Amino acid sequence: MDGAARKAAVAAYRERKVASGIYAVRCRPTGQCWVGRAPDLGTIGNRIWFTLRHGAFPYRSLQAAWNTHPAEAFTLEELERLDADALAYGADRALKARQAHWCAALGAEPV
């Protein structure tokens, strides 16, 4: 990749629309579910799979399930996108409230 193409790729990445929201990680064999919040739903999957593969995920129950079952047994799904305008102030508070709602609705553990 030459310098101009790299600059164009970096500029496109910076200008992309970021969506905050709530996601769920599910383990099909056990039926376990973990719900988390992310300021950028587009990048959370890579972060979760990377830390799980390296045994560094901070939530032990999810890491233990990952160590027991193959990677194909896990799915990541987007549960809810939050409106960027509504999140201008108090974004973290709004994400925490929605995460608590989804944890209760699905009987899931928070991550």
Side-chain angles (χ1 to χ4, degrees):
M1 179 180 281
D2 66 349
R6 182 174 170 9
K7 284 183 181 182
V10 169
Y13 179 79
R14 287 185 180 153
E15 293 174 8
R16 69 183 170 76
K17 181 107 171 142
V18 175
S20 298
I22 308 300
Y23 64 89
V25 177
R26 295 181 190 266
C27 179
R28 284 190 300 270
T30 63
Q32 289 176 287
C33 182
W34 297 267
V35 173
R37 61 186 187 272
D40 185 355
L41 287 172
T43 60
I44 194 66
N46 285 339
R47 182 174 10 152
I48 290 171
W49 302 140
F50 179 84
T51 55
L52 285 168
R53 278 194 310 270
H54 288 89
F57 201 75
Y59 295 93
R60 296 192 187 277
S61 63
L62 179 52
Q63 185 68 58
W66 179 270
N67 294 341
T68 305
H69 302 287
E72 298 79 30
F74 292 86
T75 60
L76 177 74
E77 65 182 273
E78 180 182 309
L79 296 175
E80 180 178 7
R81 283 182 184 237
L82 299 177
D83 183 26
D85 297 332
L87 293 177
Y89 298 102
D92 194 48
R93 185 174 51 237
L95 284 169
K96 283 181 183 178
R98 297 308 299 160
Q99 180 186 17
H101 163 78
W102 281 104
C103 283
L106 298 174
E109 294 182 49
V111 292

